[in-house]
Structure formats: C-alpha cells, structure tokens
Amino acid sequence: FVVVVFPSSEQSSPPSKAATNTINERLLSELQESIQTQKYGPASPRRTPPFQYSSKTPEERERSLREARDLNGVNPLVCVGGAAFSWICAGILWVFTTYLGAVFASHPLLGEAYFVQRAVGVFRNAAMGLSSLAAGFF
C-alpha cells in the first residue's frame, strides 16, 4: 500500500529564498568585539598605570629581598655529592672512550667481504660516538 502525494496547484508563488548573511553578520560582530577587546584590553573598573611603585615600606622591601636571596634550604653536601658523581662518571666514560679508540686502532679489520667491512665500520663509529656523547653529557 503506497501513498503518493502530489503538490497542490494552489501554490503559485515561487519558493522563498533562505535568509542569507545572518550567520555572517553575527560572526562579523563577534569578530569586531574580539578585535576591540584585544586592541584596548578587557574593560576593567579600575585602570592602573603601567609602572606603579609598590606601597611597601623600606623594611618590607628589605625583608622580601632577604627572602629572595635565601637558598630555600638547599643542602650544599647534596650539590657537592652530585658534582662528584658527575665528575666520576665523566672520567670513567672518557677512559672507556680512549680504551675503545686504542682497541679499534690496534685491531684492524680482517674481513674480506665488503658488507662485513662496512658493518664493522658502522659499529665502531657508533660505539665511539655513543661513548663520547655519554662522556659529554656528564
């Protein structure tokens, strides 16, 4: 059972067009508002001069400067211990890099195959590069 609906012939007026520019006008007005807000800043009830001196007394200023100079409980032994650890690690890695260079120089490549020579060369360069890079980090 199918129902077919035919348009009535009573409507002779052409269909009305969709309203245009309504969304565009709204977006343009929002854009203008945001430009004005960015240009002049948000409206505030009180405008302060850009370079206003604080109302602190000289004693308060001195106290805040002393608090800023305070090292906030940094333990100097922890700093010295960290520096010593880093120095020892850098020394070990430097000795290891020197050792690798000496081993690679004293043991030349004995392979005849080209791909073996290239693979060993890449490995030696990677080992030297990573060890020297690690020594540089410390």
Side-chain angles (χ1 to χ4, degrees):
F1 168 63
V2 177
V3 176
V4 178
V5 178
F6 293 100
S8 65
S9 61
E10 296 173 4
Q11 286 185 348
S12 61
S13 65
S16 63
K17 292 184 178 179
T20 57
N21 296 333
T22 55
I23 295 176
N24 289 340
E25 289 175 3
R26 182 179 55 86
L27 291 175
L28 284 173
S29 67
E30 288 177 8
L31 182 65
Q32 289 297 329
E33 288 174 15
S34 68
I35 288 173
Q36 291 297 325
T37 303
Q38 288 179 0
K39 187 174 182 181
Y40 300 112
S44 63
R46 178 180 66 111
R47 296 248 180 204
T48 58
F51 301 107
Q52 181 181 8
Y53 293 103
S54 67
S55 60
K56 290 183 178 180
T57 63
E59 294 82 20
E60 291 173 340
R61 282 192 203 113
E62 287 297 321
R63 186 178 52 218
S64 65
L65 285 174
R66 277 194 307 272
E67 290 173 359
R69 287 187 198 118
D70 185 18
L71 294 178
N72 300 324
V74 174
N75 188 354
L77 294 177
V78 172
C79 295
V80 171
F85 174 75
S86 178
W87 183 69
I88 290 169
C89 288
I92 290 170
L93 287 167
W94 178 72
V95 168
F96 178 68
T97 304
T98 306
Y99 171 74
L100 275 180
V103 167
F104 291 157
S106 65
H107 294 85
L109 182 61
L110 300 175
E112 294 283 333
Y114 180 71
F115 71 91
V116 172
Q117 292 174 357
R118 300 299 277 177
V120 170
V122 167
F123 172 73
R124 287 181 176 194
N125 281 329
M128 286 296 293
L130 288 175
S131 64
S132 59
L133 182 67
F137 278 138
F138 284 100

PDB file of all heavy atoms in Angstrom, residues 16-28:
ATOM      1  N   SER A  16      10.364  30.865  -1.339  1.00  0.00           N
ATOM      2  CA  SER A  16      11.193  31.954  -0.825  1.00  0.00           C
ATOM      3  C   SER A  16      12.619  31.466  -0.622  1.00  0.00           C
ATOM      4  O   SER A  16      12.868  30.309  -0.306  1.00  0.00           O
ATOM      5  CB  SER A  16      10.616  32.478   0.490  1.00  0.00           C
ATOM      6  OG  SER A  16      10.654  31.444   1.441  1.00  0.00           O
ATOM      7  N   LYS A  17      13.563  32.359  -0.818  1.00  0.00           N
ATOM      8  CA  LYS A  17      14.965  32.019  -0.640  1.00  0.00           C
ATOM      9  C   LYS A  17      15.299  31.955   0.846  1.00  0.00           C
ATOM     10  O   LYS A  17      14.658  32.602   1.661  1.00  0.00           O
ATOM     11  CB  LYS A  17      15.857  33.049  -1.314  1.00  0.00           C
ATOM     12  CG  LYS A  17      15.760  33.034  -2.814  1.00  0.00           C
ATOM     13  CD  LYS A  17      16.728  34.013  -3.411  1.00  0.00           C
ATOM     14  CE  LYS A  17      16.682  33.964  -4.913  1.00  0.00           C
ATOM     15  NZ  LYS A  17      17.607  34.923  -5.507  1.00  0.00           N
ATOM     16  N   ALA A  18      16.340  31.205   1.152  1.00  0.00           N
ATOM     17  CA  ALA A  18      16.797  31.122   2.537  1.00  0.00           C
ATOM     18  C   ALA A  18      17.427  32.444   2.929  1.00  0.00           C
ATOM     19  O   ALA A  18      18.019  33.149   2.111  1.00  0.00           O
ATOM     20  CB  ALA A  18      17.800  29.998   2.688  1.00  0.00           C
ATOM     21  N   ALA A  19      17.301  32.774   4.191  1.00  0.00           N
ATOM     22  CA  ALA A  19      17.879  34.022   4.677  1.00  0.00           C
ATOM     23  C   ALA A  19      19.397  33.919   4.621  1.00  0.00           C
ATOM     24  O   ALA A  19      19.985  32.941   5.068  1.00  0.00           O
ATOM     25  CB  ALA A  19      17.415  34.289   6.096  1.00  0.00           C
ATOM     26  N   THR A  20      20.015  34.910   4.019  1.00  0.00           N
ATOM     27  CA  THR A  20      21.469  34.910   3.908  1.00  0.00           C
ATOM     28  C   THR A  20      22.044  36.001   4.789  1.00  0.00           C
ATOM     29  O   THR A  20      21.355  36.935   5.192  1.00  0.00           O
ATOM     30  CB  THR A  20      21.910  35.146   2.448  1.00  0.00           C
ATOM     31  OG1 THR A  20      21.349  36.376   1.996  1.00  0.00           O
ATOM     32  CG2 THR A  20      21.469  34.011   1.557  1.00  0.00           C
ATOM     33  N   ASN A  21      23.324  35.875   5.065  1.00  0.00           N
ATOM     34  CA  ASN A  21      24.108  36.853   5.829  1.00  0.00           C
ATOM     35  C   ASN A  21      23.728  36.936   7.294  1.00  0.00           C
ATOM     36  O   ASN A  21      24.214  37.805   7.992  1.00  0.00           O
ATOM     37  CB  ASN A  21      24.030  38.246   5.209  1.00  0.00           C
ATOM     38  CG  ASN A  21      24.638  38.289   3.835  1.00  0.00           C
ATOM     39  OD1 ASN A  21      25.526  37.486   3.530  1.00  0.00           O
ATOM     40  ND2 ASN A  21      24.187  39.191   2.995  1.00  0.00           N
ATOM     41  N   THR A  22      22.857  36.116   7.797  1.00  0.00           N
ATOM     42  CA  THR A  22      22.517  36.214   9.214  1.00  0.00           C
ATOM     43  C   THR A  22      23.657  35.654  10.064  1.00  0.00           C
ATOM     44  O   THR A  22      24.060  36.282  11.038  1.00  0.00           O
ATOM     45  CB  THR A  22      21.224  35.463   9.521  1.00  0.00           C
ATOM     46  OG1 THR A  22      21.363  34.121   9.071  1.00  0.00           O
ATOM     47  CG2 THR A  22      20.038  36.110   8.847  1.00  0.00           C
ATOM     48  N   ILE A  23      24.180  34.512   9.693  1.00  0.00           N
ATOM     49  CA  ILE A  23      25.292  33.941  10.451  1.00  0.00           C
ATOM     50  C   ILE A  23      26.551  34.754  10.226  1.00  0.00           C
ATOM     51  O   ILE A  23      27.316  35.012  11.157  1.00  0.00           O
ATOM     52  CB  ILE A  23      25.492  32.465  10.061  1.00  0.00           C
ATOM     53  CG1 ILE A  23      24.284  31.654  10.483  1.00  0.00           C
ATOM     54  CG2 ILE A  23      26.753  31.906  10.674  1.00  0.00           C
ATOM     55  CD1 ILE A  23      24.342  30.208  10.057  1.00  0.00           C
ATOM     56  N   ASN A  24      26.754  35.199   9.007  1.00  0.00           N
ATOM     57  CA  ASN A  24      27.934  36.003   8.717  1.00  0.00           C
ATOM     58  C   ASN A  24      27.921  37.307   9.497  1.00  0.00           C
ATOM     59  O   ASN A  24      28.950  37.745  10.003  1.00  0.00           O
ATOM     60  CB  ASN A  24      28.035  36.289   7.218  1.00  0.00           C
ATOM     61  CG  ASN A  24      28.397  35.050   6.425  1.00  0.00           C
ATOM     62  OD1 ASN A  24      28.919  34.095   6.981  1.00  0.00           O
ATOM     63  ND2 ASN A  24      28.104  35.081   5.137  1.00  0.00           N
ATOM     64  N   GLU A  25      26.761  37.942   9.573  1.00  0.00           N
ATOM     65  CA  GLU A  25      26.682  39.196  10.327  1.00  0.00           C
ATOM     66  C   GLU A  25      26.975  38.958  11.804  1.00  0.00           C
ATOM     67  O   GLU A  25      27.674  39.736  12.442  1.00  0.00           O
ATOM     68  CB  GLU A  25      25.303  39.823  10.148  1.00  0.00           C
ATOM     69  CG  GLU A  25      25.087  40.390   8.769  1.00  0.00           C
ATOM     70  CD  GLU A  25      23.673  40.889   8.579  1.00  0.00           C
ATOM     71  OE1 GLU A  25      22.877  40.841   9.538  1.00  0.00           O
ATOM     72  OE2 GLU A  25      23.361  41.327   7.463  1.00  0.00           O
ATOM     73  N   ARG A  26      26.454  37.859  12.345  1.00  0.00           N
ATOM     74  CA  ARG A  26      26.718  37.552  13.754  1.00  0.00           C
ATOM     75  C   ARG A  26      28.196  37.280  13.978  1.00  0.00           C
ATOM     76  O   ARG A  26      28.804  37.775  14.929  1.00  0.00           O
ATOM     77  CB  ARG A  26      25.900  36.347  14.195  1.00  0.00           C
ATOM     78  CG  ARG A  26      26.083  35.978  15.656  1.00  0.00           C
ATOM     79  CD  ARG A  26      25.233  34.798  16.056  1.00  0.00           C
ATOM     80  NE  ARG A  26      25.431  33.618  15.246  1.00  0.00           N
ATOM     81  CZ  ARG A  26      26.395  32.702  15.475  1.00  0.00           C
ATOM     82  NH1 ARG A  26      27.223  32.851  16.475  1.00  0.00           N
ATOM     83  NH2 ARG A  26      26.514  31.652  14.704  1.00  0.00           N
ATOM     84  N   LEU A  27      28.822  36.501  13.073  1.00  0.00           N
ATOM     85  CA  LEU A  27      30.245  36.202  13.217  1.00  0.00           C
ATOM     86  C   LEU A  27      31.095  37.455  13.060  1.00  0.00           C
ATOM     87  O   LEU A  27      32.086  37.638  13.770  1.00  0.00           O
ATOM     88  CB  LEU A  27      30.664  35.135  12.203  1.00  0.00           C
ATOM     89  CG  LEU A  27      30.096  33.742  12.441  1.00  0.00           C
ATOM     90  CD1 LEU A  27      30.479  32.821  11.308  1.00  0.00           C
ATOM     91  CD2 LEU A  27      30.591  33.191  13.755  1.00  0.00           C
ATOM     92  N   LEU A  28      30.706  38.329  12.124  1.00  0.00           N
ATOM     93  CA  LEU A  28      31.448  39.576  11.958  1.00  0.00           C
ATOM     94  C   LEU A  28      31.340  40.459  13.193  1.00  0.00           C
ATOM     95  O   LEU A  28      32.324  41.092  13.600  1.00  0.00           O
ATOM     96  CB  LEU A  28      30.948  40.324  10.725  1.00  0.00           C
ATOM     97  CG  LEU A  28      31.419  39.769   9.379  1.00  0.00           C
ATOM     98  CD1 LEU A  28      30.731  40.488   8.234  1.00  0.00           C
ATOM     99  CD2 LEU A  28      32.927  39.889   9.267  1.00  0.00           C
TER     100      LEU A  28
END
